[in-house]
Every structure is written in structure tokens, then in C-alpha cells.
Amino acid sequence: MSFSVERGSAYNEIYNDEIFDEDGRPKRTGTLLTAVAHMITSVVGSGVLSLAWAVAQLGWIAGTSSLIIFSLITLFTSHLLADCYRSPQTGRRNYCYIEAVKSSLGGLQVQLCGIAQCSLLVGISIGYIFVTSSSIVAINCGAKPECHISSNKFMIIYGTVQIVLSQIPNFHKLSFLSITAATMSFTYSSIGIALSFTKLVQGNGHSESMLTGVPIGWTGVTREDKIWNILSAMGDIAFAYSFSSVLTNIQDTIKSSPQEKKVMKNAISISIVATTVFYLLFGLIGYAAFGSGAPGNFLAEFGSFKPCWIVDFANTCLTVHLFGAYQVACQPVYRFVESWSSKKWPENEFITKEYTIIDGCYDLNFFRLVWRTIYVIVTTVLALLFPFFNHFVGLLGAITFWPITVYFPIQMYIAQWKIARFSRRWNGLQLLSLFCLIVSLLVTLGSLRGIVISEQKVVPLDHIS
């Protein structure tokens, strides 16, 4: 079976070397390349489109510093999380993020982790539906100044395709989709950078770019607005690095030899360095090109750019990427529900029985078919009912950055490796956690205010997070 059913020891002794790993599960085949592809698919998402706006609010110095600081924090805590994949005492694997929390911390923290993780991933799923439909609308509208195509039908089409893609059993089978999505993410990001650079070289860039960002008084911006916009911008940057919840799932795809922890740390370093370079280029060149008027949805600003096919191609790449990114975001939710259900009702064949459809390629499970279909339908309906739900994704990113990216990895590392209380390392880790908590609380307040204002000003494609 594809989830949580262990084979007997005698069975493993005979077949383990060829078919199964030491835990009785199908042999993992992931490599550095597939791990990097999975991570880039989950890191470089629609959040990149708002980075020029974020840098515009913060300015050259604070914008650049924030992107680098958030990347360094994420890199450090992600390495700590990679150390928690196996128990240092027993070598037992933790198949997903919440299992790592359970084995290291236990108690109430497991429930809190589950709420934070599921809230973020479900919110991201809904946001991806809306952002993808908006990109498809942009492709259909092209350079037409007056275009009022409804995105609802495209959301339904997107959801229908995701029902099919969701039948891919797990991360092990997503390698091709992730590699394709990662390629698309770098493609549309590169096009966005090139378009901004072209605008800058042609002398069409704005001159309002300043060291401190959007000045007070610009288009009615008050001192209060400036402060709240800075906090909201930091929320966008935090959301751009909110991918820790899927790292353990990705690490569980890597083959054991060489040691998966070493491969995972290399993949983390490559992915974060590569995406940070793209983030800096996207944010800084975008700010240089548009100045204080940098848009929330970066690609939308190039609707009249000639030739139009370049912008359409970028939006197409974004669409393809988000088809894969939706699956990367949903897989931890799928796995948690299916693993819990199989343990709760191990004798129920509707939940546990696999039917071979394509030998060696695809096994059908009716519970997986029904539950995943319902999940996609629900997220699609919510996207239809709340077409500006992507603002809430930014809020979820602000709320969950500290617990998912910082707090739990640090606490698990301290517990598993028995870091002495009040030692230099313990104090340093706790200070980092406290700093990130304070930042997350402030950013949450900024995001809440942004939601209130966006509801008062119903503007399509405004400030996508």
C-alpha cells in the first residue's frame, strides 16, 4: 500500500534490498535534483509577484535586507528540520512534518502544529486557484483596455484538472510534475525580470525609487499608511519563504544512500540560494522600473507590453507552475488524512485496499479517489465564493511563519539533540525564535489591516501575496 502499512520482517528480509526500504515502504528513489525541484516548486510561487511592491514599501536598504534576513533564517531553521527527519537515538523515520513534531515534542504542540500547518496549506491551495484563474484571464484579455472576462469558469476548469492530478498517490510520483513546475517558475520569473530591465533601459522606469521606499504624501500615503504598508510588505516576504511544512515530506522521497539528510541539506541550500537571487532580482529591478508605483501583481502591469505574446507566455508559465504547486501544497494534507484513516480503520477495505490499474505505474484506492476529489471541490468552491481569498493567504503566511518555519524546528532540534538549557546554543536559538515571534505578530497586524482596506476597495488582482 502507498501509506503506513508495514510489511512483516521476514518479507522485508527477502525483498528489502530490491523493492522496500528498512521501514517496509516502497524503496525511495529521490535524488538531489528531484528534491530541489520539489522545493523550488513550493518556494517560488505566486508570492514572487508581489515582491516589487514589498520592496517599494520598504525601500532599497530595508527591502534588500529583509529578503536576505528572511532567507538566512529559513535556511538555518530548514537545516535544523532536516536533522529531525530521523530520531538520533533509534534512527526511526518521520514521514511528515507533524510526525516529526509528535515524536520530538508530543502533547498539545502536535495539535497546534496540525492546525497551523493545515490552515496554511489549505489557504495556499485556495489562493493558487484564484491566482491561476487571474493569469488565464490576463492571457485571454491580452492588451485590451476594456476586458471583463469572469474568472469563475477558469477556476472550475483548474479544479477539474486538479481532481485528476490529485490521484497521483504521493510525492514519490510527483517528480516529473515538480521538475516541470520548477522550470516554469524560473521561466516566468526570468521574463518578469527581463521585462523590468527592458523598461528600465528604455527610460520608462519611474524616478520615485528612494532609499526609504514610498514617501509619505505620495498619492495620499500618510505616516500611518507607511507603517502599516511596511508591515504588510514584510508579510509578503515572509509568505514567500513559507514552505517548511512540506520539507519533511520531500525528504521522505530521497533514497537512503547517500544519507538522505546530507542530500536534503544540499537541496535546501541550493533551493534557497537560487530563489533568493531570483527574489532579489525580481524585487529590486521591479522597484527600479516602477518606483513607488510598483504593482501588487507584477505581471499584470505589462498587459500593454509589445509583443504581447511574451507576457502571455509568462502568464502561461505561471499557470503551469501553479498546477504543480497546488499538488505540492496539498500532498501533506492528503497524506495526513489518509495515514490517520488507515490507522483508525485498518480493516476497512474501502480505505486501505489498492487496486492495480496500470501495473507498476498506478494503483487505485477508492478512499483516496473520493476524499481528494471532495477536497479539491471544496477549495474550488471557496475560491469561487471568496475571490479575494488570496489576501487571507498573506495573513496565514504571517501567522504561520513563526511556528512552522522557526519555532517547531528549533524546539524539535533542542529536544532531539538534547541541547542543555541556558547553554550558549540554547540561548541563541531561543532569542532567534523570540525575534521572529515579535516580527510575526507585527506583520499579522499589518496583514489584518490590509485585508480590511482591501475589502473596502474591491480592486481585482490587488496585492497578490
Side-chain angles (χ1 to χ4, degrees), residues 102-117:
K102 183 178 181 179
S103 65
S104 301
L105 304 176
L108 179 62
Q109 299 202 62
V110 179
Q111 283 73 39
L112 295 176
C113 173
I115 293 171
Q117 186 183 15

Side-chain angles (χ1 to χ4, degrees), residues 30 118 122 251 415 460:
C118 288
V122 172
Q251 190 166 353

Side-chain angles (χ1 to χ4, degrees), residues 138-197:
I139 294 171
N140 280 271
C141 285
K144 299 174 185 177
E146 296 294 331
C147 184
H148 304 287
I149 298 176
S150 172
S151 63
N152 289 350
K153 63 179 180 181
F154 298 118
M155 292 187 193
I156 295 172
I157 293 172
Y158 181 86
T160 303
V161 175
Q162 290 300 343
I163 289 175
V164 177
L165 293 177
S166 291
Q167 303 316 310
I168 299 173
N170 50 48
F171 265 116
H172 303 276
K173 306 296 184 181
L174 280 175
S175 297
F176 174 75
L177 186 61
S178 286
I179 291 173
T180 302
T183 303
M184 293 297 101
S185 66
F186 275 117
T187 300
Y188 73 73
S189 296
S190 299
I191 291 173
I193 293 169
L195 291 175
S196 295
F197 187 72

